[in-house]
Amino acid sequence: MTDAILVLNGGSSSLKFAVFEERDQLPLLLRGNVSSLDRRPRLRVEAAAGRSKIDRSMGEAPIDMDKAFAAVVSVLAENDLLRRIDRVGHRIVHGGRGFTEATRLDERTLDVLRLLEAMAPIHQRINLEIVALATELLPQALQIGCFDTAFHSARPELAKIYGLPRAMTEAGIVSYGFHGLSYSHIAAKLYDRYGTRAGGRTIVAHLGSGASLCAMDAGRSIATTMGFSTLDGLVMSTRSGALDPGVILHLLQERRLSAEELVTLLYEQSGLLGVSGISGDMRTLVGSDDPAAAEAVDLFVYRIGREIGSLAAAMGGLDTLVFTAGIGENAPLVRERISAAAAWLGVGLDDERNRGGEEVVSAANSRVDVLVIPADEERAVAKEMLIFRSAAAATAREGPR
Protein backbone atom coordinates (compact mmCIF):
# COMPACT_ATOMS: atom_id res chain seq x y z
CA MET A 1 0.00 0.00 0.00
CA THR A 2 1.41 3.40 -1.02
CA ASP A 3 -0.95 5.99 0.35
CA ALA A 4 1.14 8.19 2.62
CA ILE A 5 2.87 11.57 2.34
CA LEU A 6 6.16 12.15 4.15
CA VAL A 7 6.94 15.81 4.87
CA LEU A 8 10.49 16.87 5.72
CA ASN A 9 11.23 20.31 7.16
CA GLY A 10 14.91 20.96 7.79
CA GLY A 11 16.34 23.93 9.67
CA SER A 12 19.84 25.02 10.60
CA SER A 13 19.84 22.75 13.67
CA SER A 14 16.71 20.61 13.40
CA LEU A 15 14.77 18.22 11.21
CA LYS A 16 11.00 18.07 11.59
CA PHE A 17 8.99 15.33 9.94
CA ALA A 18 5.40 14.21 9.60
CA VAL A 19 3.52 11.46 7.81
CA PHE A 20 -0.06 11.98 6.61
CA GLU A 21 -2.53 9.71 4.89
CA GLU A 22 -2.94 10.89 1.32
CA ARG A 23 -6.60 11.89 1.42
CA ASP A 24 -8.60 15.08 1.83
CA GLN A 25 -8.47 15.61 5.59
CA LEU A 26 -4.82 14.48 5.77
CA PRO A 27 -5.10 12.26 8.88
CA LEU A 28 -1.83 12.41 10.80
CA LEU A 29 0.00 9.10 11.12
CA LEU A 30 3.21 10.28 12.77
CA ARG A 31 4.96 13.53 13.68
CA GLY A 32 8.31 14.29 15.28
CA ASN A 33 11.60 16.12 15.14
CA VAL A 34 15.29 15.80 15.74
CA SER A 35 16.28 18.99 17.54
CA SER A 36 19.49 20.67 18.70
CA LEU A 37 21.71 18.99 16.13
CA ASP A 38 24.53 21.33 17.14
CA ARG A 39 24.32 20.58 20.88
CA ARG A 40 22.87 17.57 22.70
CA PRO A 41 20.60 16.32 19.88
CA ARG A 42 17.25 14.88 20.86
CA LEU A 43 14.63 12.78 19.08
CA ARG A 44 10.99 13.42 19.86
CA VAL A 45 8.00 11.66 18.30
CA GLU A 46 4.41 12.53 19.12
CA ALA A 47 1.94 9.77 19.79
CA ALA A 48 -0.35 9.47 16.78
CA ALA A 49 -2.64 6.78 15.34
CA GLY A 50 -1.92 4.45 18.24
CA ARG A 51 1.85 4.75 17.96
CA SER A 52 4.20 5.21 20.89
CA LYS A 53 5.58 8.55 22.01
CA ILE A 54 9.37 8.93 21.95
CA ASP A 55 11.56 11.45 23.75
CA ARG A 56 15.18 10.43 23.97
CA SER A 57 18.67 11.87 23.85
CA MET A 58 20.92 11.12 20.89
CA GLY A 59 24.09 11.76 22.88
CA GLU A 60 26.13 14.77 23.92
CA ALA A 61 28.04 15.36 20.68
CA PRO A 62 26.66 17.35 17.72
CA ILE A 63 25.35 15.38 14.75
CA ASP A 64 25.02 16.23 11.06
CA MET A 65 21.88 16.11 8.91
CA ASP A 66 22.78 12.62 7.63
CA LYS A 67 22.52 11.20 11.15
CA ALA A 68 19.35 13.15 11.89
CA PHE A 69 17.78 11.78 8.70
CA ALA A 70 18.89 8.26 9.61
CA ALA A 71 17.09 8.63 12.95
CA VAL A 72 13.90 9.68 11.14
CA VAL A 73 14.19 6.71 8.77
CA SER A 74 14.58 4.39 11.73
CA VAL A 75 11.37 5.73 13.30
CA LEU A 76 9.48 5.34 10.02
CA ALA A 77 10.74 1.76 9.62
CA GLU A 78 9.82 0.85 13.21
CA ASN A 79 6.29 2.06 12.52
CA ASP A 80 6.04 0.21 9.19
CA LEU A 81 5.53 3.44 7.25
CA LEU A 82 8.40 3.45 4.74
CA ARG A 83 6.63 1.09 2.34
CA ARG A 84 3.52 3.32 2.34
CA ILE A 85 5.23 6.52 1.22
CA ASP A 86 4.78 7.45 -2.43
CA ARG A 87 5.31 11.20 -2.14
CA VAL A 88 7.83 13.23 -0.16
CA GLY A 89 7.15 16.92 0.41
CA HIS A 90 10.00 19.27 1.20
CA ARG A 91 9.87 22.72 2.71
CA ILE A 92 12.25 24.76 0.53
CA VAL A 93 13.01 28.19 1.96
CA HIS A 94 13.74 30.03 -1.29
CA GLY A 95 11.89 29.58 -4.55
CA GLY A 96 13.00 32.84 -6.14
CA ARG A 97 10.68 34.33 -8.74
CA GLY A 98 10.26 31.12 -10.67
CA PHE A 99 8.61 28.79 -8.14
CA THR A 100 5.29 30.02 -6.76
CA GLU A 101 3.55 26.67 -6.28
CA ALA A 102 4.40 23.07 -5.40
CA THR A 103 6.88 21.75 -7.95
CA ARG A 104 8.40 18.36 -8.77
CA LEU A 105 12.05 18.32 -7.74
CA ASP A 106 13.75 16.96 -10.84
CA GLU A 107 17.39 17.69 -11.65
CA ARG A 108 16.60 20.77 -13.72
CA THR A 109 14.60 22.29 -10.87
CA LEU A 110 17.28 21.40 -8.32
CA ASP A 111 19.95 23.10 -10.45
CA VAL A 112 17.94 26.33 -10.38
CA LEU A 113 17.33 26.09 -6.63
CA ARG A 114 21.05 25.62 -5.98
CA LEU A 115 21.66 29.02 -7.58
CA LEU A 116 19.59 30.55 -4.76
CA GLU A 117 21.78 29.20 -1.95
CA ALA A 118 23.61 32.51 -1.52
CA MET A 119 20.27 34.23 -0.80
CA ALA A 120 19.41 31.82 2.03
CA PRO A 121 22.79 30.44 3.13
CA ILE A 122 21.72 28.77 6.38
CA HIS A 123 18.63 27.08 4.92
CA GLN A 124 18.73 26.36 1.19
CA ARG A 125 21.76 24.07 1.19
CA ILE A 126 20.27 22.05 4.06
CA ASN A 127 16.88 21.82 2.32
CA LEU A 128 18.50 20.48 -0.85
CA GLU A 129 20.72 18.07 1.10
CA ILE A 130 17.56 16.57 2.59
CA VAL A 131 16.06 16.21 -0.90
CA ALA A 132 19.14 14.21 -1.94
CA LEU A 133 18.89 11.97 1.14
CA ALA A 134 15.18 11.32 0.58
CA THR A 135 15.69 10.60 -3.12
CA GLU A 136 18.35 8.01 -2.29
CA LEU A 137 16.17 6.35 0.36
CA LEU A 138 12.92 6.41 -1.61
CA PRO A 139 13.83 6.49 -5.32
CA GLN A 140 10.32 5.39 -6.29
CA ALA A 141 8.65 8.29 -4.45
CA LEU A 142 7.82 11.62 -6.06
CA GLN A 143 9.88 14.42 -4.50
CA ILE A 144 7.95 17.70 -4.37
CA GLY A 145 9.17 21.11 -3.22
CA CYS A 146 6.93 23.66 -1.47
CA PHE A 147 8.37 27.15 -1.09
CA ASP A 148 8.37 29.63 1.78
CA THR A 149 8.53 32.51 -0.68
CA ALA A 150 5.49 31.43 -2.71
CA PHE A 151 2.85 32.79 -0.31
CA HIS A 152 4.21 36.32 -0.73
CA SER A 153 4.58 36.24 -4.51
CA ALA A 154 1.23 37.96 -5.18
CA ARG A 155 1.97 40.99 -2.98
CA PRO A 156 1.61 44.41 -4.61
CA GLU A 157 4.68 45.33 -6.65
CA LEU A 158 5.44 48.30 -4.41
CA ALA A 159 5.83 45.89 -1.49
CA LYS A 160 8.53 44.02 -3.39
CA ILE A 161 10.83 46.57 -5.00
CA TYR A 162 13.73 48.47 -3.47
CA GLY A 163 15.06 51.91 -4.37
CA LEU A 164 17.71 50.41 -6.64
CA PRO A 165 18.35 50.80 -10.37
CA ARG A 166 15.62 49.10 -12.38
CA ALA A 167 18.08 46.68 -13.97
CA MET A 168 18.87 45.26 -10.53
CA THR A 169 15.18 44.88 -9.74
CA GLU A 170 14.63 43.08 -13.01
CA ALA A 171 17.59 40.83 -12.20
CA GLY A 172 15.80 39.62 -9.05
CA ILE A 173 17.05 41.91 -6.27
CA VAL A 174 13.62 42.32 -4.70
CA SER A 175 11.78 41.45 -1.50
CA TYR A 176 10.67 37.82 -1.52
CA GLY A 177 9.38 37.31 2.02
CA PHE A 178 9.70 34.07 3.98
CA HIS A 179 7.88 31.83 6.51
CA GLY A 180 5.21 31.57 3.81
CA LEU A 181 4.22 28.00 4.62
CA SER A 182 3.58 28.99 8.23
CA TYR A 183 1.51 31.96 7.09
CA SER A 184 -0.38 29.76 4.63
CA HIS A 185 -1.36 27.45 7.49
CA ILE A 186 -2.52 30.38 9.63
CA ALA A 187 -4.54 31.77 6.70
CA ALA A 188 -6.30 28.40 6.36
CA LYS A 189 -7.09 28.38 10.09
CA LEU A 190 -8.48 31.91 9.84
CA TYR A 191 -10.70 30.84 6.92
CA ASP A 192 -12.02 28.03 9.14
CA ARG A 193 -12.81 30.54 11.90
CA TYR A 194 -14.03 33.59 9.97
CA GLY A 195 -14.99 32.34 6.51
CA THR A 196 -13.87 34.22 3.41
CA ARG A 197 -13.09 37.30 5.49
CA ALA A 198 -10.28 35.27 7.14
CA GLY A 199 -9.86 37.71 10.00
CA GLY A 200 -9.90 40.78 7.79
CA ARG A 201 -6.83 42.98 8.21
CA THR A 202 -4.53 40.59 10.06
CA ILE A 203 -0.97 40.67 11.33
CA VAL A 204 0.58 37.27 12.02
CA ALA A 205 3.64 37.18 14.27
CA HIS A 206 5.76 34.11 13.48
CA LEU A 207 8.13 34.30 16.43
CA GLY A 208 10.72 31.55 16.69
CA SER A 209 14.49 31.43 16.36
CA GLY A 210 13.74 33.00 12.98
CA ALA A 211 11.05 35.66 13.32
CA SER A 212 8.93 37.75 11.00
CA LEU A 213 5.56 39.45 10.73
CA CYS A 214 3.10 39.27 7.84
CA ALA A 215 0.23 41.63 7.06
CA MET A 216 -2.63 39.69 5.45
CA ASP A 217 -5.91 40.99 4.11
CA ALA A 218 -8.56 38.27 3.80
CA GLY A 219 -5.80 35.66 4.02
CA ARG A 220 -3.55 37.13 1.31
CA SER A 221 -0.07 38.51 1.95
CA ILE A 222 0.11 42.29 1.66
CA ALA A 223 3.46 43.03 3.30
CA THR A 224 6.04 41.21 5.41
CA THR A 225 9.14 42.10 7.42
CA MET A 226 11.59 39.71 5.76
CA GLY A 227 12.67 40.77 2.30
CA PHE A 228 15.49 39.72 -0.01
CA SER A 229 16.89 37.38 2.64
CA THR A 230 15.99 35.82 5.98
CA LEU A 231 18.19 38.44 7.68
CA ASP A 232 15.73 41.29 7.23
CA GLY A 233 13.19 42.71 9.64
CA LEU A 234 12.96 41.73 13.30
CA VAL A 235 15.78 41.00 15.72
CA MET A 236 15.96 37.20 15.92
CA SER A 237 17.69 34.54 17.98
CA THR A 238 21.11 34.95 16.37
CA ARG A 239 20.27 37.08 13.30
CA SER A 240 20.59 40.86 13.33
CA GLY A 241 17.38 41.81 11.58
CA ALA A 242 17.19 45.02 9.54
CA LEU A 243 20.34 47.18 9.52
CA ASP A 244 21.25 50.53 8.01
CA PRO A 245 23.15 49.55 4.82
CA GLY A 246 25.81 51.97 6.02
CA VAL A 247 26.61 49.54 8.83
CA ILE A 248 27.46 46.88 6.24
CA LEU A 249 29.65 49.34 4.33
CA HIS A 250 31.42 50.27 7.57
CA LEU A 251 32.07 46.64 8.47
CA LEU A 252 33.47 45.96 5.00
CA GLN A 253 35.50 49.14 4.53
CA GLU A 254 36.60 50.13 8.03
CA ARG A 255 36.57 46.86 9.97
CA ARG A 256 37.80 44.95 6.89
CA LEU A 257 35.49 41.99 7.50
CA SER A 258 35.52 39.37 4.78
CA ALA A 259 32.27 38.20 3.19
CA GLU A 260 32.48 34.96 5.21
CA GLU A 261 33.04 36.85 8.46
CA LEU A 262 30.08 39.09 7.68
CA VAL A 263 27.81 36.10 7.06
CA THR A 264 28.88 34.54 10.38
CA LEU A 265 28.38 37.83 12.26
CA LEU A 266 24.94 38.63 10.89
CA TYR A 267 23.46 35.11 10.84
CA GLU A 268 25.08 33.45 13.86
CA GLN A 269 26.49 36.01 16.32
CA SER A 270 23.92 38.81 16.39
CA GLY A 271 20.28 39.16 17.45
CA LEU A 272 19.28 38.17 20.97
CA LEU A 273 22.56 36.33 21.43
CA GLY A 274 24.66 39.29 20.38
CA VAL A 275 22.77 41.90 22.38
CA SER A 276 22.58 39.82 25.56
CA GLY A 277 25.97 38.14 25.31
CA ILE A 278 24.23 35.21 27.03
CA SER A 279 21.88 33.29 24.77
CA GLY A 280 19.65 33.47 21.73
CA ASP A 281 17.00 31.41 23.54
CA MET A 282 14.08 33.53 24.75
CA ARG A 283 13.39 31.14 27.66
CA THR A 284 16.91 31.68 28.99
CA LEU A 285 16.68 35.45 28.59
CA VAL A 286 13.27 35.79 30.27
CA GLY A 287 14.54 33.73 33.21
CA SER A 288 17.76 35.73 33.61
CA ASP A 289 18.41 38.60 36.04
CA ASP A 290 21.18 40.00 33.85
CA PRO A 291 20.40 43.56 32.60
CA ALA A 292 21.80 42.66 29.17
CA ALA A 293 19.26 39.83 28.91
CA ALA A 294 16.46 42.24 29.78
CA GLU A 295 17.70 44.68 27.15
CA ALA A 296 17.69 41.96 24.48
CA VAL A 297 14.04 41.12 25.31
CA ASP A 298 13.18 44.84 25.34
CA LEU A 299 14.70 45.26 21.87
CA PHE A 300 12.84 42.22 20.53
CA VAL A 301 9.51 43.63 21.76
CA TYR A 302 10.29 47.19 20.64
CA ARG A 303 11.13 46.18 17.09
CA ILE A 304 8.00 44.01 16.82
CA GLY A 305 5.82 46.82 18.17
CA ARG A 306 7.30 49.25 15.66
CA GLU A 307 6.81 46.85 12.74
CA ILE A 308 3.21 46.14 13.77
CA GLY A 309 2.57 49.86 13.37
CA SER A 310 4.15 49.83 9.92
CA LEU A 311 2.14 46.82 8.73
CA ALA A 312 -1.11 48.21 10.16
CA ALA A 313 -0.44 51.39 8.17
CA ALA A 314 0.03 49.31 5.01
CA MET A 315 -3.46 47.83 5.51
CA GLY A 316 -5.19 50.92 6.90
CA GLY A 317 -5.97 49.31 10.26
CA LEU A 318 -5.96 46.04 12.20
CA ASP A 319 -8.72 43.53 12.92
CA THR A 320 -6.81 40.44 14.04
CA LEU A 321 -3.42 39.73 15.61
CA VAL A 322 -2.11 36.15 15.60
CA PHE A 323 0.86 34.74 17.50
CA THR A 324 2.51 31.55 16.25
CA ALA A 325 5.79 29.52 16.36
CA GLY A 326 7.94 28.73 19.40
CA ILE A 327 8.05 32.10 21.15
CA GLY A 328 4.65 33.20 19.90
CA GLU A 329 2.98 30.05 21.22
CA ASN A 330 4.90 29.53 24.45
CA ALA A 331 5.91 32.91 25.89
CA PRO A 332 2.89 34.61 27.55
CA LEU A 333 5.08 37.45 28.85
CA VAL A 334 6.28 38.29 25.34
CA ARG A 335 2.70 38.18 24.00
CA GLU A 336 1.63 40.47 26.83
CA ARG A 337 4.34 43.02 26.14
CA ILE A 338 3.81 43.03 22.37
CA SER A 339 0.07 43.46 22.86
CA ALA A 340 0.72 46.38 25.20
CA ALA A 341 2.91 47.97 22.52
CA ALA A 342 0.00 47.61 20.07
CA ALA A 343 -2.68 48.87 22.49
CA TRP A 344 -3.03 52.09 20.48
CA LEU A 345 -4.41 49.97 17.63
CA GLY A 346 -7.15 48.59 19.88
CA VAL A 347 -5.32 45.44 21.04
CA GLY A 348 -6.41 44.32 24.50
CA LEU A 349 -5.24 41.10 26.14
CA ASP A 350 -7.05 38.99 28.73
CA ASP A 351 -4.36 38.11 31.26
CA GLU A 352 -5.98 34.89 32.44
CA ARG A 353 -6.57 33.57 28.94
CA ASN A 354 -3.07 34.55 27.90
CA ARG A 355 -1.44 32.76 30.83
CA GLY A 356 -3.75 29.76 30.34
CA GLY A 357 -2.64 29.23 26.76
CA GLU A 358 -6.09 29.53 25.19
CA GLU A 359 -6.55 30.08 21.46
CA VAL A 360 -8.42 33.37 21.88
CA VAL A 361 -6.51 35.58 24.30
CA SER A 362 -8.06 38.98 23.58
CA ALA A 363 -10.04 40.82 26.24
CA ALA A 364 -13.81 41.17 25.88
CA ASN A 365 -13.47 44.89 25.11
CA SER A 366 -10.57 44.51 22.67
CA ARG A 367 -11.26 46.01 19.24
CA VAL A 368 -8.77 43.50 17.77
CA ASP A 369 -9.11 39.71 17.99
CA VAL A 370 -5.89 38.27 19.45
CA LEU A 371 -5.27 34.56 18.77
CA VAL A 372 -2.58 31.99 19.48
CA ILE A 373 -2.46 29.36 16.72
CA PRO A 374 0.22 26.64 16.65
CA ALA A 375 2.46 26.60 13.60
CA ASP A 376 2.15 23.59 11.31
CA GLU A 377 4.32 24.02 8.23
CA GLU A 378 4.26 20.26 7.67
CA ARG A 379 0.48 20.21 7.18
CA ALA A 380 0.75 23.23 4.88
CA VAL A 381 3.23 21.29 2.74
CA ALA A 382 0.94 18.24 2.70
CA LYS A 383 -2.02 20.39 1.59
CA GLU A 384 0.01 21.85 -1.27
CA MET A 385 0.90 18.32 -2.32
CA LEU A 386 -2.78 17.39 -2.54
CA ILE A 387 -3.32 20.43 -4.78
CA PHE A 388 -0.32 19.36 -6.87
CA ARG A 389 -1.80 15.85 -7.21
CA SER A 390 -5.18 17.22 -8.28
CA ALA A 391 -3.62 19.55 -10.84
CA ALA A 392 -1.50 16.72 -12.25
CA ALA A 393 -4.55 14.45 -12.48
CA ALA A 394 -6.51 17.16 -14.29
CA THR A 395 -3.68 17.68 -16.77
CA ALA A 396 -3.50 13.94 -17.41
CA ARG A 397 -7.25 13.79 -18.12
CA GLU A 398 -7.00 16.68 -20.58
CA GLY A 399 -4.18 14.94 -22.45
CA PRO A 400 -1.53 16.62 -24.61
CA ARG A 401 -2.41 19.87 -26.32
Side-chain angles (χ1 to χ4, degrees), residues 271-279 285 288-299:
L272 297 174
L273 172 63
V275 174
S276 70
I278 297 169
S279 175
L285 298 178
S288 173
D289 294 329
D290 193 307
E295 185 173 49
V297 177
D298 289 346
L299 180 61

Side-chain angles (χ1 to χ4, degrees), residues 118 132 237 249 313 353 358:
S237 177
L249 295 176
R353 288 179 175 177
E358 296 185 26

Side-chain angles (χ1 to χ4, degrees), residues 106-360:
D106 56 23
E107 275 307 311
R108 181 179 297 180
T109 298
L110 292 170
D111 285 343
V112 175
L113 294 175
R114 290 185 189 104
L115 297 176
L116 300 173
E117 286 187 19
M119 296 161 72
I122 64 172
H123 295 100
Q124 195 83 348
R125 179 187 57 77
I126 291 170
N127 296 159
L128 300 183
E129 178 185 350
I130 293 168
V131 174
L133 291 169
T135 302
E136 183 178 355
L137 173 72
L138 296 164
Q140 79 287 354
L142 196 62
Q143 308 288 328
I144 299 171
C146 300
F147 305 94
D148 258 341
T149 47
F151 183 74
H152 304 292
S153 62
R155 282 176 299 155
E157 193 67 15
L158 290 180
K160 299 178 187 178
I161 63 174
Y162 295 116
L164 292 170
R166 184 167 295 277
M168 291 186 174
T169 299
E170 292 172 353
I173 302 179
V174 296
S175 168
Y176 291 96
F178 297 89
H179 290 139
L181 289 164
S182 176
Y183 293 131
S184 174
H185 172 70
I186 298 300
K189 288 293 186 181
L190 293 175
Y191 273 113
D192 290 343
R193 173 178 281 275
Y194 295 103
T196 55
R197 178 174 168 267
R201 298 165 300 181
T202 299
I203 292 175
V204 182
H206 178 105
L207 307 179
S209 58
S212 69
L213 306 178
C214 180
M216 304 192 308
D217 190 358
R220 295 184 296 274
S221 178
I222 300 299
T224 187
T225 56
M226 281 183 174
F228 179 73
S229 76
T230 58
L231 272 178
D232 199 9
L234 309 177
V235 171
M236 298 172 237
S237 177
T238 63
R239 285 175 253 171
S240 63
L243 288 175
D244 178 345
V247 173
I248 306 299
L249 295 176
H250 171 79
L251 294 172
L252 289 170
Q253 296 171 345
E254 302 300 324
R255 295 291 188 95
R256 304 291 183 184
L257 266 64
S258 67
E260 292 78 12
E261 289 171 328
L262 200 55
V263 167
T264 299
L265 171 68
L266 298 180
Y267 278 99
E268 299 176 16
Q269 298 174 343
S270 298
L272 297 174
L273 172 63
V275 174
S276 70
I278 297 169
S279 175
D281 190 311
M282 182 61 73
R283 292 166 297 186
T284 300
L285 298 178
V286 168
S288 173
D289 294 329
D290 193 307
E295 185 173 49
V297 177
D298 289 346
L299 180 61
F300 185 76
V301 171
Y302 166 74
R303 290 283 287 271
I304 293 171
R306 202 171 76 175
E307 292 293 342
I308 284 175
S310 172
L311 294 181
M315 295 187 292
L318 181 64
D319 301 310
T320 306
L321 174 63
V322 180
F323 292 97
T324 192
I327 298 171
E329 295 169 32
N330 300 303
L333 176 63
V334 174
R335 291 197 298 266
E336 177 186 332
R337 294 187 57 187
I338 291 170
S339 296
W344 64 279
L345 284 165
V347 174
L349 209 64
D350 183 292
D351 291 339
E352 187 174 343
R353 288 179 175 177
N354 183 46
R355 289 192 301 270
E358 296 185 26
E359 180 175 302
V360 179

